[in-house]
Amino acid sequence: AGHAIVTYLTAPTKDVFKATIIPRQSFLGMVLPIEREETYIQDKNQILAEIKIYLGSYVAEKLKFGFTTAGVDADFQQAAYYAHDMVWRWGMGPSGILGNYSALEQRRTARWQSNFGKSVISEKLKEQLDNDTQQILKTCLKEVEGLLTSERALLDRFAQELIKKEELEYDEIDAIFKEFGKSRPS
């Protein structure tokens, strides 16, 4: 429910096509979003929306139960990848540090034998890049907490419907949001 609500309300390029709590492969449930249009590259706002979507389940669990579970593992992994890449690869961190430092670290690893593992990135810079990554994650987390707290009735209603039916299709999902006067952002 957390993923669906965050996707529906914060990701204008995606439609929530299906939500399910039926376990499949290693997933206990999932939301299947589809892109409204074919896109080839994501901008900063789209990447931040992805991070928020991945944090949706964590926040929903904390709101509902007061704690979270290991079920957020894959979601945390994806959110961390996006935040890390924003900072380390694409120059989108809050400090404004530019450069693809992931590539520099990979280059160092590839040349391990020739330079004895010396990094071309200072420890101070690595620390700042890591701090920026955490700042992105924490900012997104705070926004998702605010959203799902303010939409608690919608979250509970959506979760109840998922428990009742196990799978919701696009029209059923859209109807729940319309019940609460919600429409897709443009």
Side-chain angles (χ1 to χ4, degrees), residues 3 6 10-11 14 42-59 75-87 90 92 132-144:
H3 289 307
V6 175
T10 68
K14 295 177 183 286
Q42 291 179 307
D43 64 29
K44 185 176 181 177
N45 290 330
Q46 290 169 311
I47 298 165
L48 289 170
E50 290 290 339
I51 294 169
K52 292 172 195 174
I53 291 165
Y54 283 115
L55 295 174
S57 63
Y58 173 80
V59 172
D75 296 328
F76 269 8
Q77 183 178 357
Q78 291 301 317
Y81 282 152
Y82 272 114
H84 183 273
D85 284 348
M86 285 179 74
V87 173
W90 304 321
M92 296 179 183
D132 280 5
T133 301
Q134 274 301 303
Q135 186 176 344
I136 288 171
L137 289 168
K138 288 178 180 178
T139 299
C140 287
L141 178 66
K142 185 175 255 186
E143 290 178 28
V144 173

Side-chain angles (χ1 to χ4, degrees), residues 7 11-18 31-37 170 184:
T7 302
T13 63
K14 295 177 183 286
D15 280 322
V16 182
F17 182 71
K18 180 186 265 191
V31 169
L32 302 171
I34 56 170
E35 291 290 335
R36 288 182 171 186
E37 296 178 8
Y170 179 85
R184 302 280 299 136

Side-chain angles (χ1 to χ4, degrees), residues 69-183:
T69 68
V72 299
D73 182 56
D75 296 328
F76 269 8
Q77 183 178 357
Q78 291 301 317
Y81 282 152
Y82 272 114
H84 183 273
D85 284 348
M86 285 179 74
V87 173
W88 282 76
R89 294 177 63 197
W90 304 321
M92 296 179 183
S95 298
I97 297 170
L98 300 177
N100 185 336
Y101 295 97
S102 288
L104 290 175
E105 283 293 282
Q106 289 171 354
R107 182 177 176 199
R108 176 190 65 86
T109 302
R111 295 184 176 184
W112 179 260
Q113 297 297 328
S114 63
N115 69 6
F116 304 103
K118 293 179 184 174
S119 180
V120 294
I121 305 171
S122 73
E123 291 304 314
K124 183 178 178 182
L125 180 56
K126 286 180 188 179
E127 185 177 328
Q128 183 59 55
L129 293 167
D130 287 340
N131 288 340
D132 280 5
T133 301
Q134 274 301 303
Q135 186 176 344
I136 288 171
L137 289 168
K138 288 178 180 178
T139 299
C140 287
L141 178 66
K142 185 175 255 186
E143 290 178 28
V144 173
E145 286 171 338
L147 174 68
L148 292 182
T149 298
S150 69
E151 299 295 344
R152 181 61 189 264
L154 173 59
L155 178 65
D156 290 342
R157 168 74 173 94
F158 199 96
Q160 288 170 353
E161 198 67 16
L162 269 173
I163 290 168
K164 180 178 156 187
K165 294 184 178 177
E166 293 187 324
E167 278 193 351
L168 300 173
E169 301 292 333
Y170 179 85
D171 291 337
E172 296 168 302
I173 293 166
D174 201 44
I176 293 169
F177 283 98
K178 285 184 177 157
E179 222 178 276
F180 286 82
K182 304 296 178 189
S183 59

Side-chain angles (χ1 to χ4, degrees), residues 20-30 61 69-72 166:
T20 180
I21 57 171
I22 297 171
R24 290 184 170 89
Q25 298 171 350
S26 63
F27 300 104
L28 297 174
M30 64 178 58
E61 283 184 353
T69 68
V72 299
E166 293 187 324

